[in-house]
Amino acid sequence: MSRCWELKREFGLKTTRIVHWAVASFLSTVVLLYLGLIGLGQWYADEYDDFAMLADHGWRAILTRIPWSPRPVSEFLFLTYGSLVNRLHDPLIVPFLAVLWAGFLIAGMLTCLGIRWNHPEEDFWPDLLVALALMAFSVAYGPIMEVFYWPAGAAAYLPTLSATLLLFLQVVRGRLATSSGRGLCSACLLVAACSSETGASLVASYALILAIQSAIAIRRDRNTSGRRFPGWWLIPGVISVLLLGVVRLYRYNVVERPISAVSSALGHPLVSLLAGGKELVLEMLGQTVHSHAWFGLGSILPSELLLAAGASLCWSRLGRLPKTTRSQIATLSAAFLLGSLLTIAASELHFGAVCCRQHEVIRRCWILMSLTGFATVLLNSSAVTYFRNHRVSPLIGPILLCSAVFVVWHVSPLFKEYRFYGALEQATEQNFQSGFSPHNTEMIFLLQPPNALIAGEQIPAGRYTLDSLSPEYPHYILRFFHKQSIVFRPAKDWLGASVH
């Protein structure tokens, strides 16, 4: 009887190991497939305009940008990139995106690797599979161009996403209980706050919730002599508020596109907050402008629920979480939702509408991590101990993670990009060669397919000069390359109708 039990146990362990390797291989493949597309990265108007100003005005251009875009981390990355581009006369899209993607991958894997190195006796598979699933979902979700393949957007939003992902994984694994863990989480908060206004909104939200909790704790226990100074979250919180204050003073006084002049939320904080709350509920139900709704539920919601359940099941194998850790996870999960709310409200206040795609991608990931955090806390309750310890639970969790990514994965656009990879990459290279060529005053610009996964900025085909009244995009390109005229050719002319 004991021999039979040992054989069953050995078979179960082998099956679990095979499933773990299969799921990890699938999720890694998804991430690497999207990583491979950085060769198709595209500039938008921002790069041409900002780098031209940087070349013409130097430090004055940097000082002009500081009040407009108070993002110390991302501005340093972006302006360093622009300086190299101007000096080398090379777009350097692939190296720049590769550096930002490396940060994203390291952020996802650091928690797992830390456990593997410092505690080799612990099971590292739950952390590895959940991290891979969260990263795979981030890239497989949908409109990711502005976060992962647009250098100006990636400089701001990829560090924001990377920092918040690492923060979430660290908090779930109880790293706030150690001084080194708090230091790393503080660094994550600083990077997020100093990378984008979206990240600053999250950090301010997190600091606000922690401040309220601290005030309640102090009120209950008036003896504060033994309390530790909460600098790890207080300093990033103060910095985020200051950065948001600069944005409010300077940027919110300027009319930007897109703008809805008929919106009742435009310029009205309270109305914007109410509109943001309504939009957040819809987004939590999976509804976005890029997904379809079914009986009020978005098509992406099942994938999010599958991933949240799978992640919580994987982590539940590590044992019951301490009460303090569960509270910390719930606090961060609530901060993700509050940060998303403030981001939407700020967009409604400034634009009169929900904007923009890069914000949507970040919010989508935050909502996913929030759902995962709450599910992890719920599944750690004593009421589900039997289910958590069931012999099939090591298999269910990874399978749910795999299913979540597979359901949400937009496979067709990805493989269409690889089908035309060589031609698309050559078109971008030809555009810059034509622009940097000193032998002509007119350049040829091949437009990317408008419906592609990585689509460059679109403009009506034709010839434009510096004297043209509109639009602005050709002017930015001509100023950057110091050309007099430009001819835009649509993708159907040089690539063929098959790409559409």
Side-chain angles (χ1 to χ4, degrees):
M1 194 70 177
S2 59
R3 177 60 178 168
C4 181
W5 173 254
E6 288 183 8
L7 290 174
K8 287 184 177 180
R9 183 175 180 275
E10 184 178 351
F11 177 76
L13 291 174
K14 288 183 178 180
T15 303
T16 301
R17 194 176 299 114
I18 292 173
V19 171
H20 285 172
W21 275 107
V23 172
S25 299
F26 169 73
L27 297 175
S28 301
T29 299
V30 173
V31 175
L32 292 176
L33 283 173
Y34 284 93
L35 171 61
L37 293 180
I38 62 174
L40 304 182
Q42 296 292 313
W43 282 10
Y44 280 0
D46 299 60
E47 287 86 352
Y48 295 109
D49 184 29
D50 294 333
F51 294 170
M53 291 181 60
L54 185 62
D56 295 339
H57 304 291
W59 284 103
R60 285 182 295 170
I62 298 176
L63 294 175
T64 301
R65 284 183 59 87
I66 290 176
W68 174 266
S69 182
R71 308 168 175 176
V73 170
S74 59
E75 285 297 293
F76 172 78
L77 293 172
F78 186 59
L79 294 175
T80 301
Y81 170 51
S83 299
L84 291 173
V85 168
N86 289 335
R87 180 178 294 272
L88 301 177
H89 281 192
D90 190 299
L92 301 174
I93 294 176
V94 173
F96 184 65
L97 291 179
V99 170
L100 297 175
W101 267 80
F104 175 61
L105 298 177
I106 291 172
M109 293 290 100
L110 190 60
T111 304
C112 171
L113 294 176
I115 293 172
R116 185 64 172 167
W117 291 333
N118 299 324
H119 306 282
E121 72 282 357
E122 287 191 27
D123 186 6
F124 70 94
W125 278 106
D127 300 282
L128 174 63
L129 295 178
V130 173
L132 287 173
L134 290 171
M135 288 192 293
F137 186 97
S138 300
V139 295
Y141 149 60
I144 58 174
M145 164 67 193
E146 284 82 354
V147 173
F148 291 94
Y149 305 107
W150 170 36
Y157 296 102
L158 202 45
T160 300
L161 177 60
S162 302
T164 52
L165 173 62
L166 177 56
L167 174 67
F168 175 70
L169 295 173
Q170 289 284 299
V171 170
V172 170
R173 294 299 276 123
R175 293 283 290 151
L176 290 180
T178 65
S179 58
S180 60
R182 289 190 297 273
L184 182 56
C185 290
S186 182
C188 292
L189 293 173
L190 286 171
V191 170
C194 296
S195 294
S196 67
E197 292 80 14
T198 306
S201 298
L202 171 68
V203 176
S205 301
Y206 190 38
L208 175 62
I209 296 176
L210 289 175
I212 294 174
Q213 291 179 344
S214 298
I216 295 175
I218 292 174
R219 185 177 178 84
R220 290 177 177 174
D221 183 10
R222 298 185 181 275
N223 183 14
T224 60
S225 58
R227 291 187 178 275
R228 186 189 301 111
F229 177 71
W232 71 270
W233 60 263
L234 184 58
I235 294 174
V238 171
I239 291 175
S240 66
V241 172
L242 293 175
L243 294 175
L244 291 174
V246 174
V247 174
R248 180 66 183 89
L249 287 175
Y250 290 92
R251 192 162 187 171
Y252 271 61
N253 296 322
V254 179
V255 177
E256 291 185 84
R257 296 179 300 168
I259 187 170
S260 175
V262 298
S263 172
S264 60
L266 183 63
H268 296 83
L270 182 57
V271 179
S272 299
L273 191 62
L274 294 175
K278 178 181 178 181
E279 180 64 27
L280 177 61
V281 172
L282 294 177
E283 290 195 5
M284 290 182 65
L285 294 176
Q287 294 188 38
T288 70
V289 294
H290 304 290
S291 64
H292 302 288
W294 182 70
F295 289 102
L297 302 178
S299 58
I300 200 173
L301 182 60
S303 299
E304 293 176 330
L305 295 178
L306 285 173
L307 196 148
S312 59
L313 276 174
C314 287
W315 273 325
S316 69
R317 298 298 303 170
L318 300 175
R320 185 87 185 275
L321 292 175
K323 182 179 179 180
T324 302
T325 302
R326 297 200 302 271
S327 176
Q328 291 166 346
I329 296 172
T331 298
L332 180 58
S333 300
F336 281 135
L337 297 181
L338 180 57
S340 299
L341 170 62
L342 294 181
T343 300
I344 300 172
S347 180
E348 292 280 2
L349 179 67
H350 189 40
F351 299 109
V354 180
C355 176
C356 303
R357 285 193 173 187
Q358 57 268 33
H359 295 172
E360 179 189 328
V361 171
I362 298 299
R363 287 198 305 271
R364 195 78 259 156
C365 294
W366 287 353
I367 290 172
L368 175 64
M369 287 189 280
S370 177
L371 292 174
T372 303
F374 285 128
T376 301
V377 172
L378 178 64
L379 202 61
N380 257 266
S381 64
S382 57
V384 291
T385 302
Y386 173 77
F387 180 75
R388 186 171 64 244
N389 296 328
H390 197 275
R391 62 184 180 183
V392 300
S393 62
L395 302 178
I396 295 178
I399 291 174
L400 289 179
L401 294 178
C402 187
S403 302
V405 174
F406 185 79
V407 169
V408 79
W409 190 16
H410 295 76
V411 181
S412 179
L414 173 67
F415 286 106
K416 184 178 286 187
E417 292 292 309
Y418 273 103
R419 179 184 175 190
F420 296 98
Y421 198 112
L424 297 173
E425 186 179 34
Q426 181 63 34
T428 301
E429 183 178 347
Q430 183 176 327
N431 291 339
F432 284 98
Q433 287 179 351
S434 178
F436 285 126
S437 174
H439 304 300
N440 55 68
T441 60
E442 181 173 272
M443 63 176 292
I444 305 297
F445 195 99
L446 305 180
L447 293 167
Q448 296 287 310
N451 298 322
L453 179 65
I454 305 176
E457 197 154 344
Q458 298 298 309
I459 190 173
R463 185 175 182 270
Y464 299 84
T465 66
L466 285 173
D467 298 329
S468 301
L469 297 179
S470 63
E472 295 179 337
Y473 183 47
H475 291 190
Y476 296 146
I477 299 177
L478 292 174
R479 282 180 49 227
F480 175 78
F481 288 116
H482 301 287
K483 301 296 183 182
Q484 296 299 315
S485 60
I486 183 172
V487 176
F488 287 92
R489 293 182 56 196
K492 63 181 181 180
D493 287 356
W494 60 269
L495 189 58
S498 57
V499 74
H500 301 285

